[in-house]
Amino acid sequence: MAAPKKGRSASSQSKPGRSLALILIAIVALTGGMFLSGHTTPRLGIDLAGGTSITLTAKNEPGQPNAINKTNMDIAVDIMNRRVNGLGVSEAEVQTQGSDNIIVNIPKGTNSKQARDQVGTTAKLYFRPVLALDPQGVAATASPTPSASTSGSPSPSASETGDKATSTSSGSPSPSASTTSQGRPVTDALKADATPTPSTTSSATATASASASASASATPDAATAALQAKYLALDCTKKAVRAVTGDGVKPTEPTVACGKDSKGQWTKFVLGPAEVSGTEVKKAQAVFDTQGVAGWQVNMDFTSKGSKQFADVTGRLAQNQEPQNEFGIVLDGEVVSNPYVSAAISGGSAQISGSFTQTEAQDLANMLSYGALPLTFHESSVSTVSPALGGEQLHAGLIAGAIGLALVVIYLVVYYRGLSTVAIASLLVSAALTYVIMALLGPAIGFALNLPAVCGAIVAIGITADSFIVFFERIRDEIREGRTLRPAVERAWPRARRTILVSDFVSFLAAAVLFIVTVGKVQGFAFTLGLTTLLDVVVVFFFTKPLMTILARKKFFAEGHRWSGLDPQRLGAQPPLRRTRRASAPVDMKEA
């Protein structure tokens, strides 16, 4: 038996079942993951499922000519994400388009007017004193809060205060965690706040507080009772309630609000009138304390006006016990942080320190920065797609895909006959992989199947069919040269493989470039085209080629049945090349 030529492996010929088993295991595993995740259908985009698409264009505030930049736009996107998700719409998409546009896509089932009001207005950030708080579902005990401090002051350890975060105000001792008034009635808290300490309150702040108290004293019992009732009825665990908590509340009025602590637990607050506006925050950034043990913290710089206001409110709050020595940083009606103080913070700079992770510190810094974000947004366009119209578009897209697939199948059956079974089986495997992966990508990365993405999947049918045709034609060329099917398959594969890889690389490169340079729905087309192109390579290598190797051993294909699509006579094959041996000359055995 002749040894195989050097450099040639017979593994791909002798064990094609391994490749088939591998891809089938992958399909089963992905399908199982799809059912376990509970997402058995691809997530649909707005143009198919229905919803509202809002385009917002940024404008510079007067005196801020260069405010439209990537940092400010990213902060705006983050805040708008918080707003639309606060409406209970976890599938909403907020993304930048170009340098000055933000696209907000909100799927069906949402009040479109409310959503437009939420994302179309500038965020409001205020510093309000905390009058009372109550961690929902927890007994009335002291709540660990982050601390506000003067810049550069040392921070005592958490063990000194019993709190998770500490006060670092010029080395002053922090209030004891055991002296808490968070369980006080709201009425008592309002009365205590209405009479600020004269020694620590500036005349400007005292005048503002006096006027606010005077306006509320016209009907003190009614106003207090209304706030008390609102506080008792507030359920911070419900998204719909949180979304409208601060609606219609003026900065000069006390209010109730919700906030979440580092453990993810909701707390409800009673807050006094706003003392400092977020527009007085000049700069906020997350930094790591390399000189001490504070870890990640947030540094704030105030304007001259904000510096005075902040010194006034922190000086007054420092005279109180917990939680009335805290101020709530309120963004869009939600308390994003409630640090406490133990002394007046002057100088125009402050730090909020605590057990922050880097992400938490950066998120808080972004929110503080947004209070002074020198941008406004106006609606450039609003398009609403009804679920009925989206369903019609999806139905039309599926019909177009079915027609395209049917035409490809008819062509394959007519032209390749028996070989068409290989192509159809490969198309089914490719379709199964595409469907399962799209269903999994919805919850994983937020991929939504929109109408352009459906078009990309339809185009991919032709790209996948091209790969089969290249391979089949290479095999038929080898048969025309007089070779039998098994060697023809193995000789055709290397040349077909190179052509398939080059073709798919060009398609994938085009999809990648299109995905990078475009935005919005066109990206769906590019993503689907790129995904299906990669799957085409996987299917051809791990399914089509091994299956063809197995079928080449079957009599129906190996002998070139007239319906196999590989009939040598129909293909015009040449007679097989045969070697002929020359007859050797007779040897005369006689002795000379």
Side-chain angles (χ1 to χ4, degrees):
M1 179 178 179
K5 293 183 179 180
K6 185 178 180 181
R8 179 174 296 183
S9 173
S11 60
S12 61
Q13 303 178 33
S14 58
K15 299 179 180 179
R18 290 186 177 181
S19 297
L20 291 176
L22 182 63
I23 195 169
L24 291 177
I25 290 173
I27 293 175
V28 171
L30 290 172
T31 304
M34 179 183 71
F35 281 102
L36 288 176
S37 68
H39 298 84
T40 56
T41 57
R43 180 169 166 243
L44 299 180
I46 287 180
D47 54 353
L48 297 180
T52 303
S53 180
I54 307 170
T55 301
L56 301 172
T57 301
K59 281 190 173 183
N60 293 318
E61 289 284 354
Q64 301 286 344
N66 300 316
I68 300 177
N69 54 53
K70 186 178 186 304
T71 300
N72 288 343
M73 293 294 287
D74 288 343
I75 294 173
V77 167
D78 180 61
I79 298 299
M80 290 180 187
N81 254 321
R82 289 167 49 84
R83 287 177 167 187
V84 294
N85 289 333
L87 297 174
V89 186
S90 58
E91 298 84 3
E93 298 175 351
V94 183
Q95 59 186 357
T96 57
Q97 183 183 58
S99 60
D100 60 352
N101 290 328
I102 292 179
I103 306 297
V104 183
N105 293 326
I106 303 172
K108 65 179 180 180
T110 305
N111 187 321
S112 60
K113 183 180 183 302
Q114 184 183 10
R116 290 172 61 181
D117 292 340
Q118 288 285 344
V119 301
T121 57
T122 305
K124 301 298 182 183
L125 180 74
Y126 295 107
F127 293 77
R128 291 175 175 267
V130 174
L131 306 183
L133 60 84
D134 177 23
Q136 293 197 319
V138 178
T141 56
S143 176
T145 57
S147 61
S149 67
T150 55
S151 179
S153 301
S155 172
S157 64
S159 61
E160 292 176 334
T161 63
D163 279 9
K164 193 172 182 180
T166 60
S167 175
T168 58
S169 175
S170 304
S172 301
S174 62
S176 170
S178 62
T179 57
T180 176
S181 60
Q182 84 178 37
R184 297 173 62 188
V186 177
T187 306
D188 294 343
L190 286 172
K191 290 179 179 178
D193 185 69
T195 311
T197 305
S199 60
T200 60
T201 305
S202 67
S203 59
T205 306
T207 302
S209 298
S211 62
S213 300
S215 62
S217 63
T219 55
D221 294 338
T224 302
L227 189 63
Q228 174 86 40
K230 192 174 182 181
Y231 175 74
L232 294 176
L234 180 61
D235 185 357
C236 292
T237 61
K238 296 180 179 180
K239 288 184 178 181
V241 174
R242 297 197 304 269
V244 298
T245 298
D247 288 358
V249 177
K250 298 179 180 179
T252 56
E253 298 175 351
T255 184
V256 297
C258 298
K260 185 179 288 187
D261 61 19
S262 59
K263 296 181 180 179
Q265 180 182 4
W266 286 104
T267 300
K268 58 181 181 179
F269 295 82
V270 179
L271 304 172
E275 301 279 357
V276 185
S277 172
T279 56
E280 305 303 330
V281 179
K282 185 188 302 182
K283 182 180 180 182
Q285 61 180 348
V287 297
F288 186 79
D289 180 18
T290 58
Q291 304 299 324
V293 295
W296 282 98
Q297 57 190 17
V298 178
N299 290 351
M300 295 185 294
D301 293 330
F302 292 90
T303 63
S304 57
K305 178 182 177 182
S307 299
K308 188 175 185 302
Q309 292 176 339
F310 194 70
D312 291 341
V313 66
T314 54
R316 187 171 75 254
L317 295 180
Q319 307 303 312
N320 301 329
Q321 295 179 340
E322 287 192 29
Q324 292 180 345
N325 63 343
E326 303 173 12
F327 60 84
I329 302 175
V330 186
L331 177 65
D332 283 341
E334 181 178 321
V335 178
V336 296
S337 182
N338 57 309
Y340 63 84
V341 295
S342 58
I345 300 176
S346 58
S349 296
Q351 295 173 343
I352 300 177
S353 60
S355 301
F356 287 125
T357 64
Q358 180 179 359
T359 301
E360 290 170 344
Q362 289 174 341
D363 287 346
L364 179 56
N366 284 343
M367 294 174 192
L368 292 169
S369 298
Y370 193 79
L373 197 64
L375 294 176
T376 56
F377 293 90
H378 72 275
E379 291 181 357
S380 297
S381 65
V382 178
S383 59
T384 302
V385 180
S386 67
L389 180 58
E392 292 176 1
Q393 292 177 334
L394 178 60
H395 184 66
L398 293 176
I399 291 177
I403 292 174
L405 182 61
L407 292 175
V408 171
V409 170
I410 291 172
Y411 170 80
L412 291 173
V413 171
V414 172
Y415 192 75
Y416 288 108
R417 300 191 179 187
L419 276 180
S420 63
T421 58
V422 180
I424 294 172
S426 300
L427 284 172
L428 291 176
V429 170
S430 180
L433 286 172
T434 302
Y435 181 88
V436 173
I437 291 176
M438 284 184 176
L440 291 174
L441 287 179
I445 64 173
F447 172 75
L449 187 66
N450 53 25
L451 194 58
V454 173
C455 294
I458 295 173
V459 172
I461 296 174
I463 295 176
T464 306
D466 283 344
S467 300
F468 307 150
I469 291 172
V470 168
F471 187 28
F472 294 161
E473 288 301 321
R474 292 294 188 185
I475 295 174
R476 287 155 72 109
D477 286 344
E478 295 295 330
I479 292 176
R480 290 188 183 98
E481 293 180 4
R483 294 181 178 85
T484 57
L485 183 57
R486 292 182 64 177
V489 170
E490 301 308 323
R491 287 178 63 89
W493 173 241
R495 292 194 294 170
R497 178 179 58 200
R498 286 193 295 269
T499 305
I500 292 170
L501 288 176
V502 170
S503 176
D504 283 345
F505 175 77
V506 172
S507 296
F508 183 80
L509 184 62
V513 171
L514 191 63
F515 183 84
I516 293 172
V517 302
T518 59
V519 293
K521 296 179 180 180
V522 180
Q523 283 187 327
F525 172 85
F527 183 87
T528 306
L529 183 62
L531 174 64
T532 51
T533 301
L534 290 177
L535 290 179
D536 176 50
V537 176
V538 172
V539 171
V540 169
F541 274 70
F542 291 92
F543 185 81
T544 308
K545 166 57 172 60
L547 181 61
M548 194 66 225
T549 300
I550 292 175
L551 293 180
R553 302 170 183 174
K554 304 301 179 181
K555 182 178 179 181
F556 178 80
F557 289 96
E559 294 184 356
H561 190 279
R562 60 189 298 265
W563 288 104
S564 67
L566 297 169
D567 182 5
Q569 183 177 359
R570 188 170 180 272
L571 294 176
Q574 299 177 0
L577 300 176
R578 299 179 181 275
R579 292 183 179 180
T580 57
R581 294 183 179 180
R582 294 182 180 179
S584 58
V587 179
D588 189 0
M589 302 299 293
K590 294 182 180 180
E591 294 183 358

